[in-house]
Amino acid sequence: FEALTPEEKRKLQRMRTLVLRRSKWDGMWIPGAGSGGVVAIAVIPILFSQFGSFSPIGFVTNVLILTLVPLTMLSGFLIILASLFSSYIALLVGWIANAFVSYELFVINVFSSIPAKITATSFPLWISVFYYAAIIAVILYAKSKKAYGVHQAV
């Protein structure tokens, strides 16, 4: 890391910030929590226009599940890799993967049984356009504040 130029260090820090997006929740740092909430907010008009409903419980579900999805995917890869050497090692790794998948399915089943759904019989295109324009305006405003040093980087 010491051999990098200052510009390379800044680029590396920016990449690290994008990859490790962290949100502070109850004094605890949860990797990926911020991106899960952002994705849930960004797809609201799509959910209304295509499915006619939206569940606010999805915010909580995303935070609880999205933090483990990369570990679940990694454990699946490790199962394949371990199976090349020994089926017993693959079985041990499979138990770990099973724990992740079981937790994720448990969260999905619990939260899918909560009847907290907002429905819309029709969702006009102009509302979607206004919604996304507002999101873009907020992003541009935040970036302009950050560019002038008003907003601290994450």
Side-chain angles (χ1 to χ4, degrees):
F1 193 74
E2 290 81 21
L4 298 176
T5 67
E7 179 62 26
E8 290 171 328
K9 287 181 183 180
R10 279 193 296 276
K11 285 181 182 178
L12 189 62
Q13 183 62 32
R14 258 188 259 131
M15 285 180 7
R16 181 185 169 277
T17 302
L18 289 173
V19 170
L20 297 177
R21 255 325 147 182
R22 294 176 183 247
S23 294
K24 193 169 185 177
W25 179 66
D26 196 22
M28 197 169 60
W29 290 96
I30 302 172
S35 60
V38 169
V39 168
I41 290 170
V43 299
I44 290 173
I46 297 169
L47 292 173
F48 274 127
S49 66
Q50 297 299 312
F51 303 106
S53 66
F54 163 71
S55 177
I57 298 294
F59 291 114
V60 176
T61 308
N62 280 340
V63 169
L64 293 174
I65 289 180
L66 288 179
T67 56
L68 287 181
V69 168
L71 293 174
T72 307
M73 293 173 64
L74 176 65
S75 62
F77 171 74
L78 292 176
I79 291 170
I80 294 169
L81 188 65
S83 71
L84 297 174
F85 301 104
S86 168
S87 60
Y88 297 111
I89 296 172
L91 181 64
L92 291 174
V93 178
W95 286 339
I96 297 169
N98 183 50
F100 291 140
V101 172
S102 296
Y103 167 77
E104 291 164 359
L105 290 174
F106 172 76
V107 170
I108 290 168
N109 289 329
V110 166
F111 284 96
S112 67
S113 66
I114 298 173
K117 184 169 64 169
I118 300 170
T119 58
T121 55
S122 69
F123 198 77
L125 179 64
W126 69 268
I127 293 176
S128 295
V129 171
F130 178 75
Y131 184 83
Y132 287 118
I135 289 176
I136 291 169
V138 167
I139 291 169
L140 292 175
Y141 177 76
K143 282 191 172 216
S144 71
K145 291 294 185 186
K146 188 175 179 181
Y148 292 111
V150 177
H151 179 69
Q152 279 188 336
V154 176

